[in-house]
Amino acid sequence: MESKTSTTGVRPVRVRFAPSPTGALHIGGVRTALYNYLFARQHGGQMLLRIEDTDSTRFVPGAEEYIIEALDWLGIGIDEGICMEAPNGKGEHGPYRQSERREIYHQYVQQLLDSGHAYVAFDTPEELEAKRAEIANFQYDARTRMQMCNSLTLSKEEVESRIARGDKYVVRFKVEPNEDVHVQDLIRGEVVINSNILDDKVLYKSADDLPTYHLANIVDDHLMEITHVIRGEEWLPSAPLHVLLYRAFGWADTMPQFAHLPLLLKPDGNGKLSKRDGDRLGFPVFPLEFHNQKDGTVSSGYRESGYFPEAVINFLALLGWHNTGDQEMYSMDELIAQFSLDRVSKLGAKFDYEKGKWFNHQYLQLRSNEELADMFLPTLAANGIENPDMQMVAKVIGLTKDRVNFVPELWEQVNFFFVAPTEYDEKSLKKRWKEDSPQHMRELLELLEAQDDWSAEALDALVMPWIEEKEYGVGIVMNAFRICLVGAARGPHIWAITDILGKEETIKRVKEALNNIH
């Protein structure tokens, strides 16, 4: 098909995110999607979502819907491809599931066979295993293929006969020996690989009538007019084969530019970040909670763990990309404006999950108290607080939100506002409840019961001179007072607590404490 160009002769930027529906979307895949999105938006281009499901044995029900929901939650917009409203996908380059493109791939497999760039191979698994035992470091390539059972060593008639009778076969790409293959990478510069280390990769399997990743990937990227392939570093070893395939098809002039992103590494030790690392250290490695319908396992997600999508985006953007200057907080619009592939590192990025919490803390502080109050309602309900006074909820959140990273954590900070203490923290009592504290509290009660103006200023003007006059010590009295109201030596300023509790509840709690603390 003809590749479209703009009026200036430059092809409009088109990128794709092409995950496999084999389970939850790994956070490394989310970063790949994000970088594609930022690049496309910055260049006024389009981002396409394609599902690479040619390996039917690894398909997990619900995975495709999960991918779409995760991208939507994060604000990574898709311009073309699979979407829930149109199950077959939207856009002129569909279908966007590779399993629905069989007939398309057939013609390109045949094109490679007809041009001599590919051949049919009938070798059984047992024959291949025997050859591996016979030849050390066996590789199916120019040095060994003439010893194998394929269309290069069999007559045309025998090949046709075996196919006609239903013998299983694969189609392999014919890699010419001893050629330097040049891959231009936008992050790593020029990468040169000698073809002698490449094997004759399988492109198609008759057993399931589907292409392998390599063929489907190249054909789809060409037909879908992809201009830039931005993907993980793990695909870099496949890039020389892909360059050879573009040349074999005669598509070298419209071959996309490649950019291979650095790996996300374990927070501790070496190697690629895995789900096990998250389980071991207590952080999610998936954007959303995932219920695997195949094995019944449940994997935690950033959304369900209390993260804001903008915090996850900001955190991921800086894992592998850095800007000039010291700025750390970026809106999506700022990332779009400033992102560039030439500032993406070649080295892997340590996954600092504590930094992810820090980002969530920062974004939590930016939310209004009223918005956080709405988000806090499920936590209140889970703790038996139904139909609370929302103005009061917003007020207590404003006093304590700087102490938490996640909205559910607010309960530990504010629970005493909603539930009067029935037990008193032993450590606080041991350290701050003195022998004279009961007498101090009884005297304080008399002052408070006679007080009409319950403002913080009025109470401070009443209580502080009394303490000074009695020479009781401010810390001794106020610490004991706090224990009466809170049940422990914690919480915001004491007059902020009395203001929210009100006179009646404050006095009630002091009396309860005098009855219960012995």
Side-chain angles (χ1 to χ4, degrees):
M1 79 183 270
E2 290 293 321
S3 179
K4 295 177 183 175
T5 58
S6 69
T7 54
T8 62
V10 178
R11 296 169 71 201
V13 167
R14 282 173 59 83
V15 301
R16 46 65 165 183
F17 180 54
S20 299
T22 55
L25 179 59
H26 189 276
I27 203 69
V30 174
R31 189 196 59 173
T32 298
L34 173 62
Y35 283 11
N36 272 279
Y37 175 76
L38 296 177
F39 184 83
R41 288 293 180 269
Q42 185 182 79
H43 292 87
Q46 292 182 309
M47 179 163 169
L48 180 150
L49 177 62
R50 184 172 74 220
I51 298 297
E52 300 197 336
D53 59 347
T54 54
D55 189 346
S56 56
T57 62
R58 297 179 63 214
F59 174 78
V60 173
E64 183 181 305
E65 293 81 1
Y66 175 94
I67 290 164
I68 294 167
E69 186 180 354
L71 296 178
D72 183 62
W73 177 66
L74 290 163
I76 298 174
I78 301 301
D79 302 298
E80 182 181 327
I82 291 295
C83 67
M84 294 303 292
E85 290 76 21
N88 293 321
K90 59 178 182 177
E92 61 181 279
H93 301 86
Y96 296 94
R97 291 184 190 89
Q98 289 186 335
S99 59
E100 298 171 3
R101 297 172 62 83
R102 293 172 194 263
E103 295 306 315
I104 296 172
Y105 302 131
H106 285 165
Q107 69 181 88
Y108 290 102
V109 171
Q110 192 59 50
Q111 180 179 327
L112 291 175
L113 288 170
D114 292 344
S115 65
H117 287 102
Y119 58 95
V120 174
F122 297 98
D123 313 277
T124 65
E126 294 76 19
E127 289 169 339
L128 290 170
E129 194 56 44
K131 191 60 72 172
R132 290 188 191 100
E134 175 189 336
I135 302 175
N137 302 315
F138 169 76
Q139 182 171 275
Y140 208 125
D141 58 18
R143 290 163 293 191
T144 60
R145 59 190 174 219
M146 298 309 292
Q147 306 171 37
M148 309 301 291
C149 183
N150 55 55
S151 58
L152 302 176
T153 59
L154 301 172
S155 68
K156 181 181 177 183
E157 293 73 23
E158 186 170 357
V159 170
E160 291 174 349
S161 172
R162 294 187 68 158
I163 292 175
R165 76 184 184 213
D167 286 9
K168 288 186 172 54
Y169 67 91
V170 299
V171 173
R172 290 182 178 273
F173 186 63
K174 187 178 179 185
V175 178
E176 298 301 329
N178 201 30
E179 177 186 353
D180 284 338
V181 183
H182 296 256
V183 179
Q184 300 295 332
D185 190 279
L186 294 171
I187 295 170
R188 298 159 196 280
E190 185 178 51
V191 179
V192 182
I193 300 292
N194 189 275
S195 63
N196 284 343
I197 70 170
L198 304 177
D199 63 333
D200 289 359
K201 277 281 185 289
V202 173
L203 303 180
Y204 168 84
K205 297 171 290 180
S206 69
D208 57 10
D209 192 29
L210 280 172
T212 61
Y213 165 83
H214 301 290
L215 180 89
N217 176 275
I218 298 308
V219 169
D220 289 348
D221 282 350
H222 174 73
L223 296 181
M224 296 177 185
E225 301 184 90
I226 301 303
T227 61
H228 296 78
V229 170
I230 303 169
R231 59 189 179 186
E233 177 185 324
E234 62 269 28
W235 293 111
L236 185 58
S238 301
L241 169 65
H242 296 173
V243 169
L244 292 175
L245 277 166
Y246 276 107
R247 283 168 33 187
F249 280 122
W251 300 335
D253 289 346
T254 56
M255 181 169 62
Q257 297 185 67
F258 295 103
H260 290 90
L261 307 175
L263 294 175
L264 293 185
L265 304 176
K266 298 174 184 290
D268 55 353
N270 299 314
K272 185 179 177 181
L273 177 72
S274 71
K275 180 181 181 296
R276 266 188 236 96
D277 298 314
D279 294 341
R280 176 171 56 89
L281 296 171
F283 65 89
V285 296
F286 304 120
L288 315 180
E289 186 175 273
F290 184 69
H291 296 251
N292 192 313
Q293 296 179 35
K294 266 194 171 181
D295 58 21
T297 58
V298 178
S299 302
S300 64
Y302 275 87
R303 181 178 65 183
E304 291 74 16
S305 297
Y307 284 83
F308 298 111
E310 58 265 43
V312 178
I313 289 293
N314 203 148
F315 171 51
L316 283 179
L318 298 180
L319 285 174
W321 171 79
H322 66 283
N323 202 2
T324 56
D326 299 324
Q327 182 178 350
E328 291 191 283
M329 300 284 288
Y330 291 89
S331 68
M332 186 72 91
D333 286 343
E334 287 175 318
L335 287 170
I336 290 169
Q338 299 183 47
F339 179 79
S340 61
L341 287 172
D342 60 2
R343 299 199 71 83
V344 172
S345 173
K346 299 179 183 67
L347 303 175
K350 287 276 186 185
F351 194 82
D352 183 358
Y353 61 93
E354 292 294 342
K355 190 69 172 182
K357 293 179 184 178
W358 180 87
F359 273 111
N360 210 66
H361 175 83
Q362 302 306 314
Y363 280 98
L364 190 149
Q365 306 316 305
L366 295 175
R367 299 274 178 138
S368 71
N369 298 335
E370 291 72 23
E371 189 176 4
L372 293 173
D374 287 336
M375 294 178 181
F376 191 46
L377 280 175
T379 304
L380 288 173
N383 286 280
I385 311 300
E386 302 286 350
N387 302 314
D389 178 342
M390 294 305 288
Q391 283 188 325
M392 180 263 210
V393 175
K395 199 168 186 179
V396 300
I397 286 175
L399 293 171
T400 55
K401 68 180 184 180
D402 62 334
R403 305 179 186 195
V404 301
N405 295 321
F406 305 100
V407 170
E409 292 177 348
L410 286 163
W411 177 250
E412 286 300 314
Q413 300 293 327
V414 305
N415 54 13
F416 61 87
F417 284 111
F418 302 94
V419 181
T422 55
E423 296 179 350
Y424 301 86
D425 180 61
E426 287 292 335
K427 288 184 179 179
S428 299
L429 288 174
K430 187 174 181 180
K431 188 174 182 181
R432 305 188 186 278
W433 190 265
K434 306 301 182 183
E435 186 179 348
D436 294 332
S437 291
Q439 179 59 33
H440 296 162
M441 292 302 99
R442 281 190 286 270
E443 292 180 29
L444 179 59
L445 263 179
E446 291 182 21
L447 285 174
L448 296 176
E449 286 176 326
Q451 178 70 8
D452 292 326
D453 186 347
W454 200 252
S455 68
E457 295 78 14
L459 291 179
D460 194 67
L462 171 72
V463 174
M464 292 305 158
W466 165 72
I467 295 174
E468 188 177 339
E469 180 186 337
K470 291 284 190 174
E471 297 182 350
Y472 288 158
V474 172
I476 291 173
V477 174
M478 301 310 280
N479 284 330
F481 187 31
R482 182 179 292 276
I483 289 171
C484 293
L485 302 183
V486 178
R490 64 183 180 88
H493 195 282
I494 195 73
W495 304 131
I497 296 174
T498 58
D499 176 57
I500 291 171
L501 292 179
K503 180 177 179 178
E504 182 181 345
E505 180 67 17
T506 297
I507 290 171
K508 179 182 175 184
R509 290 192 184 193
V510 175
K511 288 179 177 179
E512 288 290 325
L514 287 170
N515 289 332
N516 293 317
I517 298 174
H518 303 290

